[in-house]
Amino acid sequence: MKKRGMRGLAAALVLTMALPVTAFGAETVQVDGYDRMEGEAAEYQLSISNVTGKTTVAGKEAYVCQAPVKVSAVDELQTFEVTKYLSAGNALAAQGVMLPDGYTQESWDALYFDSEGEAVVKVGTTYTIKEPGIYRALGMYPAIAGGAEVYLVVEGNGQTAASLTKPQYTTATPSTAKVLVNGKEVAFDAYTIGGNTYFKLRDVAAAVNGTAKSFNVTWDANAKAISLQGGTAYVAVGGELAAGDGTAKQALPSAAPVYRGWMEYAMPAYTINGSTYFKLRDLCSLMDIAVGWDDATKTITVDSTK
């Protein structure tokens, strides 16, 4: 799970214009995402390596690239982010925000704590994308509307732009792990996807309701977004903690953004039979709920009492 925060939110709100680009070599482009007066020279924010063509993904123009791809800041910026996505058909599902080369989460966050809105990302700061997938890179100056936003479809390991831009359905297998919530066994309709266990969001909210870590879940139909409110009772909508049928299901990456307060979080999620499922660890970390694993008994433990 990665926080996207105000930097990502601002970019998502304002970066909607087509991007003028200039090629400077066979495989590298520079991007300027700001409006310019007629005759005014471009001032580039980002450079993208290993570009081989263009395509469209979820209605957005994108560069096709060959891994590894280097996304670099070519000017000092306030915001510089690269987020990975999966195709959900006509939308993109965020999977998490990357870290630039040479940074830890702590050292990257530390750049912003005392920045007071100044440009803190230095020229040459680089993300190296090694894995195939869909990515969004953005770069913004302080206090200037606009910014450079570019989508990348990175090919590699036998995965092509055609395969990556199709809806990424996967098989969700019913989980057999026992789950203890505050010491009491609770039956969940949970699924294993890619080696991780995913739980229905509203089931988890219902299971910890009435404890110190109760939280509510609401859906903003206009924004098509999920909102989580901590420290408040869960309001049931019906169907919570219903038993599953024990059969595998088709799962599609969920494109719905998740907010707690004003902060947006990029958490991998899947839609299964119309409900949204998250990794239990991601969800519990976001809501400050302790989660553990007993390998000897194959038991997941959840403690929402503290």
Side-chain angles (χ1 to χ4, degrees):
M1 176 191 69
K2 298 289 187 181
K3 293 187 289 186
R4 298 179 65 184
M6 291 299 289
R7 305 194 299 274
L9 288 176
L13 289 172
V14 303
L15 302 180
T16 58
M17 74 290 288
L19 297 175
V21 299
T22 299
F24 64 96
E27 297 181 325
T28 300
V29 298
Q30 288 185 311
V31 182
D32 178 9
Y34 287 85
D35 291 333
R36 303 292 175 189
M37 300 293 290
E38 185 176 352
E40 182 183 6
E43 296 181 11
Y44 301 107
Q45 295 83 50
L46 305 178
S47 71
I48 316 294
S49 74
N50 283 350
V51 176
T52 60
K54 289 186 177 182
T55 188
T56 301
V57 55
K60 305 176 187 297
E61 290 189 0
Y63 288 114
V64 179
C65 307
Q66 187 67 37
V69 176
K70 290 187 179 294
V71 182
S72 300
V74 294
D75 201 353
E76 293 187 347
L77 304 170
Q78 181 188 22
T79 298
F80 184 28
E81 292 183 351
V82 174
T83 305
K84 185 174 184 180
Y85 292 84
L86 288 176
S87 173
N90 60 357
L92 296 175
Q95 300 300 293
V97 180
M98 296 180 62
L99 286 172
D101 299 351
Y103 283 89
T104 64
Q105 189 66 58
E106 290 73 19
S107 62
W108 185 239
D109 287 344
L111 288 178
Y112 294 94
F113 287 156
D114 299 314
S115 67
E116 297 183 352
E118 299 298 320
V120 294
V121 179
K122 302 303 181 185
V123 174
T125 302
T126 297
Y127 292 84
T128 300
I129 301 173
K130 300 178 181 179
E131 299 296 327
I134 299 170
Y135 297 83
R136 183 190 71 169
L138 62 91
M140 298 174 64
Y141 295 126
I144 303 176
E149 179 184 52
V150 59
Y151 286 86
L152 312 173
V153 180
V154 178
E155 299 179 318
N157 297 335
Q159 295 181 271
T160 65
S163 64
L164 290 165
T165 55
K166 291 180 179 178
Q168 300 296 296
Y169 285 98
T170 190
T171 300
T173 305
S175 172
T176 58
K178 182 169 69 173
V179 184
L180 298 181
V181 178
N182 303 323
K184 178 182 178 181
E185 185 170 357
V186 178
F188 287 90
D189 183 25
Y191 294 87
T192 299
I193 301 173
N196 295 296
T197 306
Y198 286 75
F199 286 71
K200 190 186 301 183
L201 174 59
R202 288 188 176 276
D203 281 357
V204 177
V208 301
N209 195 32
T211 71
K213 299 299 171 63
S214 293
F215 66 95
N216 194 29
V217 179
T218 56
W219 170 253
D220 185 331
N222 292 326
K224 299 187 184 306
I226 297 167
S227 178
L228 307 179
Q229 302 94 39
T232 187
Y234 173 65
V235 179
V237 297
E240 289 84 355
L241 296 171
D245 60 11
T247 63
K249 302 288 190 300
Q250 285 292 294
L252 182 67
S254 171
V258 179
Y259 293 90
R260 182 175 182 184
W262 54 265
M263 185 77 76
E264 181 184 357
Y265 291 81
M267 300 194 302
Y270 285 88
T271 300
I272 303 173
N273 285 350
S275 295
T276 307
Y277 287 70
F278 291 89
K279 292 180 186 178
L280 183 63
R281 284 192 180 277
D282 283 354
L283 184 56
C284 287
S285 175
L286 177 57
M287 304 313 297
D288 195 27
I289 298 170
V291 61
W293 169 253
D294 186 331
D295 192 57
T297 61
K298 307 300 180 188
T299 301
I300 299 169
T301 58
V302 176
D303 186 350
S304 63
T305 63
K306 300 176 182 179

